[in-house]
Amino acid sequence: MSAGTYRNPILYADYSDPDAIRVGADYYMVASSFTYLPGVPLLHSRDLVHWEIINYCVPALPFEKYDRPAHGSGTWAPSIRYHKGEFFVFIPLPDEGIFVARSKDPRGTFQLNRLCESRGWIDPCPFWDEDGKAYMVFAYARSRCGIKHRLALAEIDPECTGLRGEPRVIFDGTQLAPTSEGPKMYKRNGWYYILMPSGGVATGWQSALRAKDIQGPYEYKIVMHQGSTAVNGPHQGAWVDTPEGTDWFIHFQDVGELGRIVHLQPMCFQEDWPFIGCERN
């Protein structure tokens, strides 16, 4: 991002559960769209502040259920990644499974395939490791499967067409970080990181997990919370770096009837832990 100033929120519009990446000098963001179609809007920016919609990743859903309103269903929190010249958007349908939309051109047509059939698996994020293996970290929706507060990791095939084995729980936040969800996986300096919101949409905070082995065990730390600000429940988002080497965090804030608006926070690392936001004396 070039030098200058900005004012939060950067998007005073309803973009729930944003995830973002950088490809070269370009930034791309996706968000939930639930039962609205075309779904999963794809936005583009050159500076992380000014965004425009350039596409939709899901023109239609292959289920008759969505020919009619289906409140609480549809495309929940997606994640976007760029791997070997192709954009991958992982999209959970809490009743039908995990889907993958892919395209080599972000402004072109995305092809949709189902990675796995499941009920209650939500907020998936893919990760390709240096050894060629691929994984998906995800959370659970208690309304569909009776499980909450937990994150699971599953190995997937690198082409994102199926699972390779059963998932295993890598974090149980029942006591320490209830309502942990929306995990996003990264790697830096030999550490595997999972950034996630905990504590609920309106009352929560940002958590981080880290481990030297992708399977864990993971350490836990709170890395951003409301504090004395008016930004209630700084919720689900994405870590993005710039070509200049600075780090930023995009997340949403719930503002009731006006939806979930998007904020941008500075981010740095202290003793290999992320620190998000501005420290106040």
Side-chain angles (χ1 to χ4, degrees):
M1 186 171 67
S2 60
T5 61
Y6 69 95
R7 178 177 294 176
N8 276 318
I10 55 171
L11 283 170
Y12 209 113
D14 188 14
Y15 287 99
S16 182
D17 311 312
D19 189 34
I21 57 170
R22 177 178 64 86
V23 180
D26 296 283
Y27 303 95
Y28 299 92
M29 181 195 302
V30 292
S32 301
S33 55
F34 306 105
T35 58
Y36 292 101
L37 292 169
V40 187
L42 177 60
L43 293 82
H44 171 260
S45 175
R46 296 281 289 185
D47 61 6
L48 286 174
V49 174
H50 303 90
W51 295 87
E52 65 170 344
I53 297 176
I54 61 169
N55 207 346
Y56 289 88
C57 302
V58 181
L61 290 170
F63 302 100
E64 291 185 4
K65 168 183 177 179
Y66 297 103
D67 293 338
R68 300 174 299 278
H71 180 71
S73 298
T75 55
W76 285 23
S79 62
I80 183 170
R81 292 294 182 267
Y82 184 74
H83 179 66
K84 292 186 175 180
E86 194 166 14
F87 292 85
F88 290 83
V89 182
F90 272 47
I91 303 164
L93 275 65
D95 300 309
E96 292 88 9
I98 306 297
F99 286 75
V100 181
R102 67 186 75 205
S103 177
K104 293 184 178 180
D105 178 3
R107 299 176 186 268
T109 301
F110 279 76
Q111 303 298 320
L112 193 68
N113 70 273
R114 179 152 54 180
L115 175 77
C116 63
E117 187 173 352
S118 59
R119 183 170 175 82
W121 293 16
I122 59 170
D123 306 348
C125 178
F127 179 82
W128 290 266
D129 213 345
E130 289 99 332
D131 60 4
K133 291 184 177 181
Y135 300 87
M136 176 180 70
V137 62
F138 64 94
Y140 293 98
R142 183 165 61 185
S143 62
R144 276 21 183 231
C145 62
I147 303 172
K148 193 177 182 180
H149 318 301
R150 299 172 188 171
L151 304 183
L153 183 74
E155 186 176 352
I156 62 176
D157 78 275
E159 296 302 316
C160 305
T161 60
L163 301 179
R164 287 186 173 176
E166 293 297 315
R168 60 180 294 270
V169 172
I170 57 171
F171 178 72
D172 186 342
T174 303
Q175 300 298 323
L176 185 64
T179 320
S180 287
E181 55 188 349
K184 301 294 185 293
M185 180 170 277
Y186 309 91
K187 193 173 185 180
R188 176 185 182 272
N189 290 347
W191 289 98
Y192 295 90
Y193 292 96
I194 297 174
L195 298 182
M196 61 190 182
S198 303
V201 171
T203 57
W205 58 89
Q206 288 295 325
S207 296
L209 304 174
R210 73 174 188 182
K212 285 292 188 177
D213 188 310
I214 195 169
Q215 301 289 349
Y218 281 87
E219 303 173 75
Y220 172 81
K221 188 179 181 69
I222 296 174
V223 294
M224 181 174 67
H225 56 76
Q226 180 176 349
S228 60
T229 75
V231 184
N232 60 283
H235 208 69
Q236 186 166 327
W239 163 23
V240 184
D241 66 355
T242 69
E244 295 77 27
T246 59
D247 297 298
W248 297 84
F249 190 76
I250 292 173
H251 67 93
F252 82 77
Q253 173 200 13
D254 190 287
V255 290
E257 65 275 7
L258 297 178
R260 295 172 170 182
I261 60 178
V262 183
H263 291 247
L264 177 66
Q265 308 292 351
M267 176 174 163
C268 63
F269 280 83
Q270 299 178 357
E271 298 179 348
D272 284 318
W273 281 108
F275 180 92
I276 303 169
C278 297
E279 186 173 10
R280 293 191 173 189
N281 295 325

